[in-house]
Amino acid sequence: VRGLMAKVTNLFISPSSGVWKEVQSVETEIGGFKGDRNFSSTSDKQLLVTDEEVLKKYGKKPGDMKENLVVSGLGVQELAPGSLFKIGNVEFRTVGARFCEGQSMDTEGKRGVFVNVVNGLSLIHISEPTR
């Protein structure tokens, strides 16, 4: 069953353009991750989520895809736009996949899936279970 043992493996924020910082926990609210330059309650691309399994398949390290969240066991790439999932007390909605022209084609377009925070003012931590 997908998501049975799913968890967060890495968290990143981008406080400014071109700067990525790995963190152990992050505060979320409607709009994304507090402290991230893309934080916006009106954006349809608040956060980028990538599967750890996809990174491994293409020989990438966490952070290489400029993602905010790396999850293991969720299969986020396979979720349809509009799908809901939770990490801790925070609910997310998928808004679709995106391939960036600056990314190499060696990942077959599997950079990750954009999500929005639906509800949940909370902290997310590394190893937080997803469901």
Side-chain angles (χ1 to χ4, degrees):
V1 174
R2 177 189 322 161
L4 185 60
M5 299 296 292
K7 67 177 183 171
V8 174
T9 61
N10 302 84
L11 294 166
F12 296 89
I13 62 169
S14 176
S16 60
S17 183
V19 177
W20 287 91
K21 178 180 172 187
E22 187 165 13
V23 295
Q24 295 299 305
S25 62
V26 66
E27 191 173 348
T28 64
E29 62 181 60
I30 303 296
F33 286 171
K34 287 188 100 173
D36 189 83
R37 69 185 179 93
N38 294 313
F39 183 90
S40 169
S41 62
T42 59
S43 173
D44 65 346
K45 297 176 181 175
Q46 294 171 358
L47 300 167
L48 181 64
V49 182
T50 302
D51 289 307
E52 180 182 52
E53 295 80 6
V54 169
L55 292 176
K56 287 180 180 179
K57 178 179 178 178
Y58 295 105
K60 304 292 183 184
K61 296 181 297 233
D64 282 354
M65 304 291 221
K66 307 226 179 307
E67 69 276 9
N68 299 99
L69 279 150
V70 179
V71 294
S72 174
L74 181 62
V76 73
Q77 297 281 116
E78 298 157 17
L79 297 175
S83 296
L84 298 173
F85 66 94
K86 287 183 96 171
I87 298 176
N89 294 320
V90 182
E91 189 172 34
F92 297 89
R93 175 180 290 118
T94 62
V95 293
R98 175 177 169 224
F99 184 78
C100 214
E101 285 183 23
Q103 297 290 322
S104 70
M105 294 300 286
D106 62 354
T107 59
E108 300 171 357
K110 293 185 167 132
R111 178 176 177 222
V113 175
F114 280 103
V115 302
N116 287 345
V117 177
V118 176
N119 63 47
L121 174 58
S122 185
L123 279 176
I124 293 178
H125 306 275
I126 298 295
S127 297
E128 190 94 44
T130 64
R131 54 191 188 286

